[in-house]
Amino acid sequence: MEPYATADQVWAGGLIFARIGAILLSLPGIGESYVPARIRLALALVVSLALWPVIGGALPALPDTLGSMVGWILREVITGLAIGALLRMFTSALAVAGEIVSLQTTLSFAQTTNPLQAAPGTTIAAFLMLLGTVLIFATNTHHLFIAGLVGSYTLVSPGQPLIAGDFTEMAIRTVGDSFMLGVQLSAPVIVFALIFNLASGLVGRVMPQFQIFFAAAPLSVILGLSIFALSLGVLGTVFIDRYRAMARVFAAGAGGSLG
C-alpha cells in the first residue's frame, strides 16, 4: 500500500475509524438495526477520511507490537461506544413518557415492536421514539453529532487515559435526567388521569348502582389521547431543545462538563 498511503497513515485512519464507527453504531437514527450495515460502515469510512486531516496529528504513532495496536484500537472502540451510548440514553425519555401515557390511558396492554429498542413495547412509546428520531433529523440535530465527532477528540484525547469515572457519573446523571424528563413530558396526561380517577371514584361513591367502569373506561381512553395529542407539539419541542443542549456539549468538546 506504500504507493497510496504509508503505514502511519493507514494506522491513523484505522484508529479514527474505530472510534467513529463505534459512535455511529450507537447514535439514534443512524445506528438503528433497520439501517443496513453496509450503509453504516460506508458512512463511518467516509466520515473517518474527512476527519483524518483535522485530527490526524493528535493520534499516537504506530506501535511496535501487535498487542499495543490491539490495545489502542480497543480503547478507541470503548470510547466511541461510551459517547454514543450517552447520546442514545437520553432518547429513553420518550419511552418513559410513552409508557406513562399508556398506563394512564389504560392502553399499556397494546404492545407493538419498537424498532429503536429492539424489543416490544407500548404503541405510544414506539410512536414517541420514532417521533424523536424524526425530530432529530428534521431540526438538523444530526449536524451536532458530526461536530461532536471532532469534539470527542478534545473531550477524550487519545493520548490521555480513559476517564471511566467521569463517564460513569455522566451516564448515571443522563439516565436520571431522561427519566425525569419523561415524567415531565407526560405531566398533562398524569394530571388528567388524577382528576379523572378522583371524579370517577366520587361518582361511584355517590351512585353505587351506576356501573362507573363501563362509562369511565372509554372516556379515559378518548380524553387521555385527546390531551396527549394536544400536548404533542410542546412535548416534541421540549424534548428536542433538551437533546440539542446535550449534543452541543459534545460538539463543543466541553470536557469540564463531565466533572
Side-chain angles (χ1 to χ4, degrees):
M1 295 184 63
E2 288 295 332
Y4 302 98
T6 64
D8 291 334
Q9 291 174 334
V10 174
W11 162 250
L15 207 60
I16 296 173
F17 179 80
R19 179 183 293 198
I20 300 303
I23 294 177
L24 294 180
L25 184 67
S26 307
L27 284 180
I30 300 174
E32 307 303 339
S33 58
Y34 53 77
V35 178
R38 291 184 179 180
I39 294 179
R40 285 182 283 174
L41 290 174
L43 179 61
L45 180 60
V46 171
V47 174
S48 300
L49 293 176
L51 295 183
W52 181 80
V54 179
I55 58 181
L59 300 176
L62 178 65
D64 298 328
T65 62
L66 179 61
S68 299
M69 293 175 62
V70 173
W72 277 109
I73 292 175
L74 288 178
R75 181 190 184 280
E76 291 301 294
V77 170
I78 292 173
T79 301
L81 290 176
I83 294 174
L86 288 177
L87 293 172
R88 175 174 286 272
M89 283 178 189
F90 204 74
T91 59
S92 62
L94 295 174
V96 172
E99 295 291 340
I100 293 176
V101 171
S102 299
L103 286 172
Q104 299 301 327
T105 56
T106 67
L107 293 176
S108 58
F109 61 88
Q111 299 285 313
T112 187
T113 302
N114 191 337
L116 302 183
Q117 292 184 330
T122 61
T123 304
I124 296 179
F127 166 73
L128 287 180
M129 292 289 287
L130 290 173
L131 175 65
T133 303
V134 172
L135 287 176
I136 288 174
F137 288 94
T139 58
N140 291 329
T141 304
H142 60 288
H143 293 173
L144 295 176
F145 293 162
I146 299 175
L149 298 178
V150 181
S152 68
Y153 285 88
T154 303
L155 193 69
V156 186
S157 176
Q160 297 178 355
L162 283 174
I163 49 177
D166 291 337
F167 268 122
T168 303
E169 180 184 351
M170 184 68 172
I172 295 174
R173 193 166 64 205
T174 302
V175 171
D177 291 344
S178 63
F179 183 82
M180 182 177 63
L181 179 61
V183 175
Q184 292 172 348
L185 295 177
S186 59
V189 180
I190 293 177
V191 173
F192 156 75
L194 178 62
I195 297 174
F196 184 83
N197 290 330
L198 287 176
S200 300
L202 181 61
V203 172
R205 291 289 294 176
V206 174
M207 303 172 59
Q209 296 82 8
F210 182 67
Q211 299 295 328
I212 187 63
F213 175 78
F214 295 100
L219 283 176
S220 176
V221 175
I222 295 173
L223 296 178
L225 290 180
S226 298
I227 293 177
F228 170 71
L230 291 174
S231 63
L232 197 57
V234 177
L235 183 150
T237 302
V238 172
F239 168 76
I240 201 63
D241 287 344
R242 293 284 298 275
Y243 196 83
R244 286 177 66 88
M246 181 182 179
R248 286 193 186 98
V249 173
F250 294 94
S257 62
L258 287 178

